[in-house]
Amino acid sequence: MRSKELSMQVKEAILKLKTEKPIREIATILQVAKSKGWYILRKKASTGELSNAKRPGRPRKTTVVDDRRIISMVKRNPFTTANQVNNTLQGVGVSISKSTIKRRLHESKYRGCTARCKPLISLKNRKARLDFAKEHLKKPAQFWKNILWTDETKINLYQNDGNKKVWRRRGTAHYPKHTTSSVKHGGGSVMAWACMAASGTGTLVFIDDVTQDRSSRMNSEVFRDILSAQIQLNAVKLIGRRFMIQMDNDPKHTAKATQEFIKAKKWKILEWPSQSPDLNPIEHSFHLLKTKLRTERPTNQQQLKATAVKAWQSIKKKETQHLVMSMSSRLQAVIASEGFSTKY
């Protein structure tokens, strides 16, 4: 095993002390081997140099041009795999391993990460999100505390994340070209509607428990039935009689019959920008619920429902209050990202 190289300060100290003391004492004072001391003195006498000679080492398998080509491919398409890069390089006569490709990417601060799944945001969506953020940024805390947050979510019996890898640098996880897009759709093991406020979680309603055919398909009529049974009950319990309802722009929510029903009830609705789950605190409450379900591991739908209700009710008031009070930070993040998806 090769011994540790001496620093330039130690080498200069050996030369300085040589005129005053014998090499044995110098080695003791500087805590170095006597043989190393003699080696430094001989090297200085013969070459006049103290610095270490440059070692050639194994030559790189790629040229500067090859390195630029690898980085360029990943910049153009961050979802490019090491295999695809390798195939492209072989087409121009460069034969290297996938490990070498990954090392070159690591040298340029790229890491293989799981792509975050974010809603597909159009130019119209971006403008609406920015307008909403700027209009509500200065709202007081009490404004957000008086809102009943609502949404639907799919709860899988067996969680499948559908992760996809992407090459990116640190701090770029939420850039549009580094994320996958999602659109809302039904189906899944169990569909549920829920509500919450800063003061805690409300009712968790399973769609197949309120539909006549016991399916999880929810239309405007089923949605109105849920609102009729749940909104006033939960709002008075969690907020009081002066409340505002938040809901997204799902077709069931924006249907004419639904809007007329809400108008007849004289409920106030928070105007909400489309494709903005990152602004809705209840989305993070759903994440807490599903995280708890992973530890329980229910094996059938009935167990899943019972476990989900228990997990939903176990979310503490301080957690929902923290999520609702994060609205200012969420709005600032939307403005900073110019309307694109944020880390929330």
Side-chain angles (χ1 to χ4, degrees):
M1 185 171 129
R2 197 170 66 198
S3 59
K4 186 177 179 181
E5 293 177 348
L6 299 181
S7 66
M8 186 60 68
Q9 290 86 347
V10 173
K11 293 176 183 179
E12 291 173 349
I14 291 173
L15 290 177
K16 183 177 180 181
L17 291 173
K18 179 63 181 76
T19 58
E20 304 172 3
K21 300 179 182 295
I23 195 63
R24 187 186 298 274
E25 290 185 26
I26 295 174
T28 303
I29 294 171
L30 299 177
Q31 295 184 342
V32 298
K34 188 173 65 172
S35 58
K36 276 202 169 186
W38 281 118
Y39 172 78
I40 296 301
L41 295 174
R42 287 197 301 270
K43 182 176 180 180
K44 179 64 176 177
S46 60
T47 66
E49 293 289 335
L50 289 177
S51 58
N52 297 318
K54 185 177 179 180
R55 298 187 179 89
R58 181 177 179 180
R60 285 171 71 92
K61 295 286 288 184
T62 57
T63 64
V64 174
V65 174
D66 297 332
D67 294 344
R68 282 204 297 262
R69 184 178 284 117
I70 293 170
I71 302 304
S72 177
M73 290 174 64
V74 169
K75 276 186 177 179
R76 284 198 305 269
N77 180 12
F79 291 96
T80 303
T81 64
N83 270 331
Q84 291 171 331
V85 174
N86 197 12
N87 292 337
T88 302
L89 292 176
Q90 287 181 0
V92 294
V94 179
S95 180
I96 57 176
S97 67
K98 290 190 295 182
S99 298
T100 300
I101 293 171
K102 292 177 182 178
R103 280 196 296 272
R104 297 298 175 266
L105 290 169
H106 292 166
E107 289 169 3
S108 294
K109 308 301 182 185
Y110 280 94
R111 295 291 182 271
C113 307
T114 300
R116 311 291 174 87
C117 189
K118 296 288 183 179
L120 186 62
I121 298 178
S122 65
L123 185 62
K124 182 180 178 180
N125 296 147
R126 284 180 61 193
K127 184 179 183 306
R129 283 164 56 82
L130 275 172
D131 291 345
F132 179 86
K134 292 174 181 177
E135 181 183 349
H136 293 82
L137 183 60
K138 301 300 183 181
K139 293 289 185 182
Q142 191 59 45
F143 174 84
W144 303 113
K145 288 181 180 180
N146 288 340
I147 293 176
L148 186 70
W149 306 88
T150 71
D151 204 0
E152 299 87 41
T153 187
K154 179 178 69 173
I155 306 173
N156 291 324
L157 186 60
Y158 303 105
Q159 298 295 328
N160 180 13
D161 295 327
N163 294 335
K164 190 174 183 180
K165 293 291 186 179
V166 60
W167 288 103
R168 63 173 175 81
R169 289 189 171 104
R170 183 185 294 274
T172 64
H174 303 278
Y175 283 17
K177 68 177 183 178
H178 294 158
T179 61
T180 59
S181 297
S182 65
V183 293
K184 291 195 171 184
H185 58 279
S189 298
V190 176
M191 284 295 295
W193 176 93
C195 62
M196 61 161 271
S199 58
T201 56
T203 309
L204 187 68
V205 180
F206 300 104
I207 308 305
D208 60 352
D209 289 342
V210 296
T211 54
Q212 292 182 354
D213 59 357
R214 307 295 294 176
S215 71
S216 291
R217 292 187 298 272
M218 184 168 66
N219 54 26
S220 175
E221 183 181 357
V222 174
F223 182 63
R224 293 197 304 273
D225 290 341
I226 293 174
L227 294 182
S228 180
Q230 301 298 334
I231 290 295
Q232 198 73 34
L233 177 70
N234 284 280
V236 171
K237 175 186 173 183
L238 296 172
I239 302 170
R241 297 197 175 275
R242 300 176 66 85
F243 63 89
M244 183 181 291
I245 305 170
Q246 179 278 333
M247 59 179 69
D248 60 25
N249 294 298
D250 186 282
K252 298 182 291 294
H253 306 169
T254 58
K256 183 177 179 180
T258 301
Q259 295 301 310
E260 290 177 350
F261 170 81
I262 292 172
K263 186 176 180 180
K265 290 287 187 179
K266 298 182 179 179
W267 290 334
K268 291 183 178 180
I269 303 297
L270 177 65
E271 187 174 347
W272 195 253
S274 298
Q275 300 293 73
S276 301
D278 54 341
L279 285 176
N280 195 346
I282 200 172
E283 294 287 351
H284 283 78
S285 292
F286 288 150
H287 177 72
L288 291 174
L289 182 152
K290 293 172 185 179
T291 300
K292 294 174 184 289
L293 288 179
R294 289 194 183 99
T295 61
E296 296 293 334
R297 296 186 179 278
T299 58
N300 57 58
Q301 281 198 359
Q302 290 305 314
Q303 289 183 8
L304 178 63
K305 288 181 179 180
T307 306
V309 170
K310 183 179 177 182
W312 183 247
Q313 294 174 346
S314 70
I315 297 175
K316 298 180 175 63
K317 175 183 175 179
K318 66 178 182 180
E319 293 175 309
T320 57
Q321 187 170 11
H322 174 74
L323 290 173
V324 172
M325 290 300 98
S326 68
M327 280 304 299
S328 177
S329 299
R330 293 168 189 264
L331 297 173
Q332 288 174 358
V334 169
I335 295 172
S337 68
E338 299 182 346
F340 280 117
S341 294
T342 65
K343 66 178 182 179
Y344 292 99

